[in-house]
Amino acid sequence: MEHVKCECGHVNPIGTVLCESCGKPFEENAPALLDMRYEGSARRSQTYNKTIIDKVWNFFSSVKVGVWLIVITLIASAIGTIYPQEMYIPPTVTPAEYYEEQYGWLGKWYYQLGFHDLYGSWWYMLLIALIGVSLVICSLDRVVPLYRALKKQGVTRNEQFLRRQRLFSSSHVDNYEALLPQIKEKLAKHRYHIREENGNILAEKGRFSRWGPYVNHIGLIIFLIGAMLRFVPGMYVDEVFWIREGETKEIPGTNGKYFLKNEKFIFQVYEKEKEKKVFQEAIDRVGSGMMAKNYQTNAVLYERVGPIIPGEKPKLKKVKSFSIRVNEPLKHDHYALYQVDFKLNELSKMSFHLIDKQTNKQFGTITVDLLQPKDEYDLGNGYRVQLLSYFPDFYFDEEGNPATKSKVPNNPAFVFKMITPDRPDGEVSFTAIRQTIEPLGDNKYKMAFAGMETRNVSALTVRRDFTLWILGLGGAIFMIGLIQGMYWNHRRIWIQRINGEVLVAAHTNKNWFGLKKELAKICEGTPLVMPVDQADKGR
Amino acid sequence: MKTKRFWLRTAILALMVAAIGYTIYANFFTEKTSVKIGDEAPDFVLTDLNGNKHRLSDYRGKGVFLNFWGTWCKPCEKEMPYMNKQYEVYKKKGVEVLAVNVGESELSVKKFVERFGLTFPVVIDKQDQVMNAYDIGPLPTTFLIDKNGKIVDIITGTMTESMVQQYMERIQP
């Protein structure tokens, strides 16, 4: 039993509900109104269920399964918004501890189940992938039979098919042959494609709208493939790096090929005196100097020449100078550098006077480079200052010892040893901002704060995305499919004379109201009875 | 007809399983970095505190225990003495330890080395170049490199002394 032969002579695949050609219902107890979904074609998944492959296939072929997958994904996405995602928690904390500390056992589970990094958790990705599989199989299983059924549909239909359409009427027409050209003309005026067979008419328009959902799905699948390609090395780069004014640094993600120099970082605000008069009121409202106007990094891009060995001092060739501003990235070789963050006035140098605490007499000044401090500063005349320890980001650790939180000079602290002619063994002083501790007893000398230098730091995002055009293409096809299915309807009108009666039946995949109005215009002024909506009868 | 359908479905399913499998694999079973286990360790040149240049490729034939660390990182501090102790043992067996500091001041690194009496070479990655090449995220991160220059394993997080010992055993030539 591979095929079902209809009385009209057409051979249908097994599982067909309505004959592909004449529309005769095969079910014994066909309903009063035919279910026109997929033209009553055999969804093959429903038919074969023998091997494991068939079973898997049939599982994914179910729209119900597809809808459930989407619902589960939606619920998971919603849960993912309850607590902050990993990227929004403070960068210094360990996520494993943070979620439990902040949100208790719920937070612990949230973290352990991967909700803290939802888009990166394996099961979420698997869900998306399963939706993709469902999309492919559902579409294939429907579009092929639908295409067959629409291509093979006959003009002359089975009487049962016509009578069980939602819009149907039967009329007595005395001179059908004379009426036919008039009807055809009217149909043609409404842009129907007309096929005629022995005086029977099939008028059809907008069939391509039926492919809309499948075109849409193709777009989605292309989009998913694009998203997948991001994981292929080299396709997608997304890095952030901090660069100080005056610093030249390798741009991460470029495999050591490009370097960047930050000449200057500029932060500007709207100030009352400097702007045009029209802006005065707006500036007054938020306050002068409160609203940011510009974030800008004056950068120089260099390319490394010669062999790339990380750590080796690079030979650099200037590529170009550029002012990177928000939404005005520096672009080169498919890379784009975007302004993303900044830090004003990071400490770069600190100066101290060596003074006698009693007399305040100065014996010289040292300037400590906070990124590369020296071990010893000679002031001459037997006065020397040694730097015993340096904590760029000072705090007291759990054991009460001075330590540093990072390598960034946010809160520098120093242990100085001051060697003077009258104290040849030296005096030790712990000097931090607004804090001096003399651990070995009272000192005669002191390192007095004398000044500091600061500079700005700029953060830039490095982007390179070779998947963007695929995502764009997928998105465009998605939209085309959507429009195709939304703004056009597939309408069909059958007119047929059977035993002296003229039967008119009509079907559309959506917008029955529009079809009814069209039918009314076609029937107007003819002996044809306007078809009745049989779906209303039951109510 | 039936077999054709079977093979068509099998082919489509296999294609999709392969695509999904790759995505999941690429995301969760490999390091999300450009440097992976089994790759050749990227070569680099860095200078130690005594001014000696260390080039990774010069260590071919020896196992290299490549440790990235910072003075502020408490777990790094904890494992340094273990590394120091095991280095004494495995040095004779052809295992080298290279500790790459992530661009701190020479002074801080020097004081740290003095404090813990570290005997293995400690180099400073002043321009983050080596960090970028190895795609270093959290500290400490240790790369186990065998005598052929291949990365055998990547360890993030603190190691106990017995772990350090086992790892050195693994890369002993």
Side-chain angles (χ1 to χ4, degrees):
Chain A
M1 275 288 285
E2 274 289 301
H3 302 286
V4 187
K5 195 170 176 182
C6 178
E7 59 180 39
C8 72
H10 184 75
V11 177
N12 294 284
I14 190 162
T16 306
V17 185
L18 305 173
C19 171
E20 287 173 332
S21 175
C22 75
K24 180 183 186 302
F26 286 128
E27 286 170 8
E28 294 264 315
N29 302 314
L33 275 184
L34 293 178
D35 183 357
M36 289 291 282
R37 263 201 311 170
Y38 314 114
E39 299 297 298
S41 59
R43 267 202 298 122
R44 281 178 254 177
S45 58
Q46 307 289 302
T47 352
Y48 309 102
N49 204 352
K50 295 198 181 86
T51 56
I52 266 272
I53 292 289
D54 287 337
K55 286 198 168 118
V56 172
W57 188 274
N58 294 350
F59 176 74
F60 284 110
S61 175
S62 159
V63 171
K64 227 183 237 174
V65 169
V67 170
W68 271 110
L69 284 171
I70 293 170
V71 168
I72 293 167
T73 310
L74 281 178
I75 292 170
S77 307
I79 293 173
T81 64
I82 294 176
Y83 299 140
Q85 289 286 294
E86 193 182 19
M87 64 183 112
Y88 299 115
I89 68 170
T92 47
V93 300
T94 325
E97 291 160 11
Y98 178 82
Y99 284 97
E100 196 176 353
E101 272 170 26
Q102 294 285 316
Y103 310 109
W105 63 272
L106 272 175
K108 189 181 166 185
W109 281 102
Y110 194 80
Y111 174 79
Q112 277 180 346
L113 293 174
F115 282 106
H116 69 291
D117 179 23
L118 194 64
Y119 295 153
S121 80
W122 66 268
W123 57 264
Y124 191 85
M125 258 182 209
L126 195 66
L127 274 174
I128 299 284
L130 291 180
I131 290 176
V133 172
S134 157
L135 218 57
V136 170
I137 293 181
C138 278
S139 300
L140 273 178
D141 251 14
R142 285 166 179 79
V143 76
V144 174
L146 181 66
Y147 178 79
R148 254 180 74 109
L150 285 177
K151 201 172 163 79
K152 289 190 177 167
Q153 64 177 329
V155 176
T156 310
R157 289 298 173 120
N158 186 282
E159 190 181 343
Q160 286 304 311
F161 177 82
L162 297 177
R163 285 188 184 277
R164 294 180 187 197
Q165 289 300 317
R166 190 170 148 185
L167 289 177
F168 173 77
S169 73
S170 75
S171 327
H172 287 282
V173 178
D174 293 331
N175 193 353
Y176 184 62
E177 277 70 25
L179 177 67
L180 217 51
Q182 192 192 343
I183 295 284
K184 274 163 72 180
E185 194 192 318
K186 279 191 163 184
L187 286 169
K189 222 179 93 192
H190 284 96
R191 295 167 195 267
Y192 278 88
H193 301 285
I194 302 161
R195 281 166 68 195
E196 196 180 342
E197 195 181 277
N198 307 323
N200 300 327
I201 288 176
L202 163 60
E204 185 177 15
K205 74 174 176 186
R207 189 199 284 185
F208 92 112
S209 136
R210 295 291 285 271
W211 315 128
Y214 308 103
V215 171
N216 172 279
H217 286 180
I218 290 169
L220 263 179
I221 288 158
I222 293 174
F223 194 95
L224 282 177
I225 289 172
M228 201 178 82
L229 283 178
R230 289 200 161 183
F231 303 120
V232 175
M235 291 295 276
Y236 182 65
V237 172
D238 182 10
E239 307 258 4
V240 177
F241 71 109
W242 288 87
I243 184 164
R244 298 182 170 100
E245 281 177 336
E247 199 176 25
T248 303
K249 238 182 168 177
E250 183 185 306
I251 302 173
T254 64
N255 299 321
K257 198 175 168 197
Y258 293 104
F259 282 69
L260 195 79
K261 183 173 185 202
N262 177 358
E263 304 247 273
K264 192 166 177 55
F265 175 78
I266 300 164
F267 171 60
Q268 287 168 310
V269 289
Y270 287 99
E271 280 171 287
K272 206 172 168 183
E273 311 79 51
K274 289 183 186 164
E275 301 302 327
K276 285 186 196 152
K277 240 185 159 182
V278 272
F279 299 126
Q280 296 301 322
E281 201 183 316
I283 292 171
D284 276 339
R285 200 171 55 232
V286 289
S288 180
M290 296 302 287
M291 186 61 75
K293 183 182 179 185
N294 184 26
Y295 306 99
Q296 178 178 327
T297 304
N298 293 346
V300 185
L301 179 71
Y302 294 98
E303 186 177 340
R304 184 176 198 160
V305 286
I308 297 174
I309 305 165
E312 189 95 273
K313 201 171 158 44
K315 280 199 199 86
L316 298 177
K317 193 183 86 195
K318 182 175 166 177
V319 179
K320 59 176 152 186
S321 296
F322 190 84
S323 299
I324 301 170
R325 306 170 71 186
V326 175
N327 292 335
E328 289 173 27
L330 163 59
K331 286 193 175 173
H332 183 72
D333 189 15
H334 302 290
Y335 288 101
L337 295 173
Y338 291 88
Q339 184 70 52
V340 69
D341 204 351
F342 68 99
K343 189 170 125 191
L344 295 177
N345 305 323
E346 185 184 274
L347 292 169
S348 67
K349 283 177 184 159
M350 274 178 104
S351 307
F352 298 93
H353 300 306
L354 174 63
I355 58 168
D356 187 315
K357 274 159 78 178
Q358 294 259 281
T359 61
N360 267 350
K361 189 169 182 246
Q362 286 185 18
F363 300 95
T365 307
I366 66 165
T367 301
V368 182
D369 180 337
L370 296 177
L371 290 183
Q372 215 50 264
K374 291 195 281 185
D375 335 21
E376 193 175 294
Y377 298 83
D378 197 345
L379 298 171
N381 304 327
Y383 292 91
R384 281 185 296 148
V385 177
Q386 287 179 347
L387 188 47
L388 297 184
S389 284
Y390 169 51
F391 309 98
D393 197 356
F394 156 72
Y395 77 114
F396 283 111
D397 66 10
E398 286 139 10
E399 288 145 37
N401 296 321
T404 183
K405 271 185 251 176
S406 70
K407 62 177 179 177
V408 184
N410 291 325
N411 181 23
F414 313 85
V415 179
F416 290 118
K417 188 175 202 180
M418 300 162 287
I419 298 165
T420 48
D422 56 337
R423 296 278 194 281
D425 291 340
E427 289 178 335
V428 175
S429 161
F430 178 86
T431 307
I433 292 174
R434 292 184 181 175
Q435 191 177 4
T436 303
I437 299 168
E438 293 167 356
L440 305 176
D442 225 6
N443 289 345
K444 183 175 182 230
Y445 294 96
K446 180 185 167 182
M447 299 304 293
F449 177 73
M452 60 183 188
E453 283 175 42
T454 64
R455 60 183 155 187
N456 300 332
V457 195
S458 175
L460 302 169
T461 288
V462 190
R463 277 286 167 83
R464 187 177 64 177
D465 192 350
F466 288 137
T467 68
L468 213 52
W469 68 272
I470 302 174
L471 299 180
L473 181 74
I477 293 175
F478 178 97
M479 277 314 289
I480 289 170
L482 215 59
I483 292 165
Q484 197 177 333
M486 293 258 281
Y487 292 103
W488 279 270
N489 322 131
H490 179 217
R491 293 176 179 174
R492 273 174 298 174
I493 301 171
W494 295 275
I495 302 173
Q496 216 162 305
R497 186 168 54 176
I498 297 173
N499 302 329
E501 259 184 311
V502 175
L503 309 185
V504 179
H507 181 261
T508 180
N509 62 333
K510 58 163 72 82
N511 188 7
W512 290 86
F513 179 76
L515 178 60
K516 282 179 202 167
K517 280 189 78 171
E518 218 164 55
L519 271 173
K521 277 187 193 153
I522 288 160
C523 295
E524 200 184 1
T526 71
L528 294 178
V529 177
M530 166 68 197
V532 186
D533 192 339
Q534 305 198 78
D536 291 342
K537 260 198 257 170
R539 285 187 218 140
Chain B
M1 181 66 191
K2 242 189 253 174
T3 50
K4 198 181 133 199
R5 185 194 80 231
F6 176 80
W7 288 116
L8 195 66
R9 286 184 175 184
T10 311
I12 294 171
L13 281 173
L15 199 71
M16 289 191 291
V17 167
I20 296 164
Y22 172 77
T23 311
I24 303 267
Y25 172 80
N27 264 284
F28 300 101
F29 299 99
T30 58
E31 306 299 316
K32 249 194 222 162
T33 56
S34 47
V35 186
K36 295 180 186 67
I37 294 170
D39 285 356
E40 191 172 319
D43 197 12
F44 63 83
V45 182
L46 287 174
T47 310
D48 70 15
L49 297 168
N50 305 321
N52 301 320
K53 280 198 169 184
H54 294 265
R55 184 165 178 164
L56 184 68
S57 51
D58 292 342
Y59 288 100
R60 281 292 156 84
K62 282 180 168 184
V64 179
F65 191 93
L66 181 64
N67 178 265
F68 287 84
W69 67 283
T71 61
W72 70 86
C73 142
K74 292 284 172 191
C76 306
E77 194 178 307
K78 209 174 147 195
E79 67 189 17
M80 280 293 178
Y82 305 151
M83 281 158 56
N84 210 19
K85 225 160 139 193
Q86 294 303 322
Y87 176 59
E88 300 289 318
V89 181
Y90 282 90
K91 194 182 174 181
K92 297 163 212 131
K93 299 180 182 171
V95 175
E96 267 303 325
V97 172
L98 260 181
V100 180
N101 175 273
V102 293
E104 287 180 272
S105 64
E106 237 167 81
L107 182 92
S108 302
V109 176
K110 213 149 84 185
K111 298 289 176 195
F112 186 92
V113 169
E114 280 168 16
R115 198 170 124 213
F116 290 97
L118 303 180
T119 53
F120 46 77
V122 176
V123 294
I124 304 176
D125 182 24
K126 282 182 187 154
Q127 281 192 306
D128 296 351
Q129 286 188 45
V130 180
M131 267 184 85
N132 286 341
Y134 279 83
D135 221 339
I136 299 299
L139 294 178
T141 298
T142 303
F143 291 79
L144 303 182
I145 301 167
D146 70 7
K147 62 177 194 292
N148 303 316
K150 289 255 179 317
I151 297 172
V152 180
D153 207 347
I154 303 169
I155 301 112
T156 42
T158 340
M159 298 174 281
T160 60
E161 184 156 4
S162 69
M163 280 162 84
V164 172
Q165 189 254 327
Q166 278 168 26
Y167 291 143
M168 289 199 182
E169 186 80 42
R170 261 173 84 183
I171 49 172
Q172 180 187 324

